[in-house]
Amino acid sequence: MVKTFDEKSVHDLPPWIADRAGRLVLVGSQDLQSGKCVFPRIPENSPSAPRFAAIDLSHRGLLYSFTVIHPNPKTGEKPFVLAYVDFPEGARAFGRLDLEPGARAEIDMAVEVHVEKSAGTSTRYRFIPASEQHDD
């Protein structure tokens, strides 16, 4: 039987997402020897998994690099931004950066992670410019 959105457990989340008291966070892996952190989390069935520990990434990061994608006009899609974001833990994540109309991305701008679960089986994350209040 297929589970509905409300019936899904935290075990149904992708391995790179964790539920921390109702707040979804990105999860990376930290090398136990070097301390280096990577995203996404190293899968548990990976031969190198014993070398790594799961680590929650901060809610905020800094924009490392970005590019603006201009879809074919025939698709009717508007241009969008893809970005690399550096986190204080040392991991770098790739994802979509959503900006308000007329806003521009800038290297080293603070961004926040927003993780969203849909009514289906999809869980996605995106970045948005950070609000002035720091809630980490």
Side-chain angles (χ1 to χ4, degrees):
M1 180 175 177
V2 176
K3 295 180 183 178
T4 67
F5 175 72
D6 294 331
E7 295 171 327
K8 286 188 172 287
S9 72
V10 293
H11 300 294
D12 293 324
L13 293 171
W16 41 269
I17 300 288
D19 187 337
R20 302 294 185 238
R23 180 176 176 190
L24 298 177
V25 298
L26 297 183
V27 179
S29 291
Q30 186 173 33
D31 188 307
L32 297 172
Q33 294 175 349
S34 70
K36 182 178 179 182
C37 187
V38 296
F39 178 82
R41 180 178 179 186
I42 302 295
E44 290 179 13
N45 61 354
S46 169
S48 61
R51 285 188 23 222
F52 290 87
I55 184 171
D56 290 357
L57 299 183
S58 298
H59 180 63
R60 289 179 175 224
L62 294 177
L63 185 62
Y64 170 76
S65 182
F66 67 92
T67 188
V68 179
I69 304 297
H70 296 272
N72 185 321
K74 292 179 183 179
T75 67
E77 293 182 47
K78 295 181 179 182
F80 59 93
V81 179
L82 295 178
Y84 277 109
V85 173
D86 285 342
F87 289 90
E89 296 77 17
R92 180 174 288 159
F94 179 77
R96 190 166 180 152
L97 172 63
D98 289 343
L99 299 169
E100 293 291 325
R104 297 183 62 125
E106 294 180 27
I107 300 300
D108 287 331
M109 72 186 282
V111 298
E112 296 177 348
V113 178
H114 280 256
V115 182
E116 301 162 338
K117 287 172 55 174
S118 68
T121 59
S122 175
T123 303
R124 296 182 285 176
Y125 68 92
R126 62 187 172 100
F127 304 112
I128 63 167
S131 62
E132 294 302 313
Q133 256 186 336
H134 188 48
D135 60 350
D136 273 347

